Amino acid sequence: METWITICDTCKRDDWQDRGIEKTDGERLAEFIEAQDLGPIKTRRVSCLMGCSNGCNVAIQADGKLNYTLGDFDAGEEAARGIVEYAQKHAESDTGQVPYREWPQEIKGHFVTRHPPLPKA
């Protein structure tokens, strides 16, 4: 089973326009995530995870496992590092559940939703 980090590349923090940056916060976070040592983790960008009040948003997903949406990140290397580390632990888990004591500090407080795996039948 492959674990994916799905990154919303249209996410914009509330002060996006005031900061005068050309790329969205989601695009910047995607670049930081993609620059990490991903190991077996795959990434993809999508336009809108519909979590605008929690931007920047990512989903950690794998077939047959619990899937998570995380949000309210600042687009930076620290957040990217925590997201990738959590995704790697998710990939190592049979169920997708990672014990709280193993969560990277950078992702604590950023969970938005948890989705159970789809039924096989």
Side-chain angles (χ1 to χ4, degrees):
M1 281 179 260
E2 294 180 327
T3 293
W4 288 81
I5 302 172
T6 300
I7 309 155
C8 177
D9 63 5
T10 56
C11 279
K12 299 173 189 141
R13 306 283 295 180
D14 288 338
D15 63 346
W16 178 71
Q17 288 184 317
D18 296 336
R19 288 183 281 137
I21 58 175
E22 291 185 26
K23 295 180 181 179
T24 65
D25 293 300
E27 288 174 305
R28 292 176 56 236
L29 182 60
E31 289 174 355
F32 281 111
I33 289 171
E34 293 161 353
Q36 299 293 307
D37 179 9
L38 296 168
I41 306 303
K42 306 258 190 241
T43 64
R44 66 180 178 161
R45 296 182 188 200
V46 298
S47 294
C48 198
L49 286 174
M50 296 184 75
C52 300
S53 62
N54 294 305
C56 293
N57 293 286
V58 299
I60 310 294
Q61 304 165 287
D63 191 35
K65 294 185 178 187
L66 291 167
N67 298 289
Y68 298 90
T69 305
L70 294 84
D72 198 26
F73 288 105
D74 289 323
E77 187 174 344
E78 186 175 300
R81 188 174 43 252
I83 291 165
V84 170
E85 183 181 339
Y86 183 82
Q88 289 168 340
K89 292 178 183 299
H90 181 274
E92 294 167 2
S93 167
D94 291 336
T95 63
Q97 188 167 10
V98 177
Y100 180 79
R101 68 183 172 279
E102 295 180 22
W103 291 8
Q105 186 62 39
E106 297 86 358
I107 58 102
K108 291 181 179 176
H110 291 275
F111 284 82
V112 178
T113 61
R114 178 173 81 173
H115 302 270
L118 292 172
K120 293 191 186 289

